[in-house]
Amino acid sequence: MAQMVSFAEIEAAAQARHPDVVARLATVRTPDELAAIPDDRWLSAIVRRIFEAGFVWRVIEQKWPGFEAVFAQFDPVRLAMADDHFYEQVLADARIIRNRQKVMAVADNAEFVLARSEQHGGFGRFVACWPCEDVVGLWKVFADEGARLGGNSAALVLRRLGYDTFILSDDVVHGLLRYGLIDRTPTGWRQKRQIQDIFLQWKQDTGRPLAHLSLTLACAVG
């Protein structure tokens, strides 16, 4: 690993570029709060991320009440059991973005949420009990067991619902490169775990959540 940079240096750069950086920091929920989030809200966040990917987020936000109605408030049991006729009706409904591949991924992700929920007594409990020092491992579970949840999608879903994770956004990767902590854009799980080690060291040094460290680094360069 490259020689670590003091996070105080990064924080100073972030505050110089964005004096409001503290106001931008994400809310981080406690394990009990995460465990209390019902399965339908996890599935809603997953599907929202899938439809946001490669699309204008503002449009998805405006249409989201329609998505909630069309997809039965994201009840994972109902969506996992729904037949092809149900999804064909969904694809004909103008209240959503009618992308067939993304629509059909809803059923797969409903099954993912249900399976982990049944194993752990709730999908939120599964997330809350995951080892906090292995967020990349949790991303991999989402990518392997869910549908269309590669790249930054898992981290973005988790961040939306308050799980403490860093995100490898373009600005974060640029920051890691700029401060000499990595020498290339990460592509594989091994490289992502090496970056995780950097963030965990900063967390130990500062006592701050990974989500705050990640956003501060992004603000230092972007």
Side-chain angles (χ1 to χ4, degrees):
M1 184 186 299
Q3 184 175 357
M4 287 293 291
V5 176
S6 167
F7 199 77
E9 177 183 343
I10 294 171
E11 188 168 28
Q15 290 177 339
R17 293 179 66 88
H18 299 281
D20 65 339
V21 62
V22 173
R24 299 183 179 205
L25 298 179
T27 298
V28 175
R29 287 190 164 114
T30 67
D32 286 346
E33 289 171 333
L34 290 168
I37 298 173
D39 290 353
D40 63 284
R41 293 305 88 199
W42 287 102
L43 183 56
S44 175
I46 287 170
V47 175
R48 183 163 179 165
R49 169 55 199 161
I50 289 170
F51 277 89
E52 285 174 342
F55 208 80
V56 179
W57 290 23
R58 188 174 301 169
V59 173
I60 301 300
E61 182 177 7
Q62 291 170 347
K63 295 178 75 71
W64 199 248
F67 275 82
E68 290 278 353
V70 170
F71 285 108
Q73 307 302 317
F74 292 101
D75 177 347
V77 175
R78 181 171 176 183
L79 293 174
M81 296 179 64
D83 58 16
D84 290 344
H85 177 67
F86 171 84
Y87 285 102
E88 289 301 327
Q89 288 182 312
V90 167
L91 283 163
D93 199 312
R95 288 176 290 177
I96 69 163
I97 304 299
R98 290 173 286 183
N99 179 300
R100 176 174 289 275
Q101 291 181 324
K102 293 186 178 186
V103 166
M104 299 314 294
V106 173
D108 292 334
N109 283 303
E111 292 176 1
F112 164 47
V113 169
L114 276 180
R116 285 293 182 167
S117 179
E118 290 171 358
Q119 292 170 6
H120 297 271
F123 193 85
R125 187 173 297 278
F126 154 64
V127 172
C129 292
W130 190 267
C132 60
E133 69 276 7
D134 186 27
V135 294
V136 171
L138 186 54
W139 298 354
K140 192 172 188 302
V141 171
F142 274 64
D144 290 347
E145 299 182 14
R148 303 181 71 92
L149 292 175
N152 281 326
S153 289
L156 288 164
V157 170
L158 292 164
R159 172 75 65 81
R160 184 188 294 276
L161 290 183
Y163 183 85
D164 186 24
T165 180
F166 62 96
I167 296 175
L168 291 176
S169 66
D170 290 345
D171 283 339
V172 167
V173 172
H174 176 52
L176 292 166
L177 289 165
R178 179 173 177 178
Y179 286 100
L181 296 165
I182 59 174
D183 59 8
R184 70 191 70 179
T185 299
T187 55
W189 293 111
R190 180 179 178 183
Q191 293 168 308
K192 292 175 182 179
R193 285 194 165 93
Q194 290 172 340
I195 292 172
Q196 177 175 258
D197 289 342
I198 294 170
F199 276 97
L200 289 173
Q201 184 62 57
W202 280 334
K203 180 179 180 180
Q204 180 178 327
D205 292 344
T206 65
R208 297 175 62 184
L210 299 175
H212 293 186
L213 297 168
S214 175
L215 195 144
T216 302
L217 176 59
C219 287
V221 298

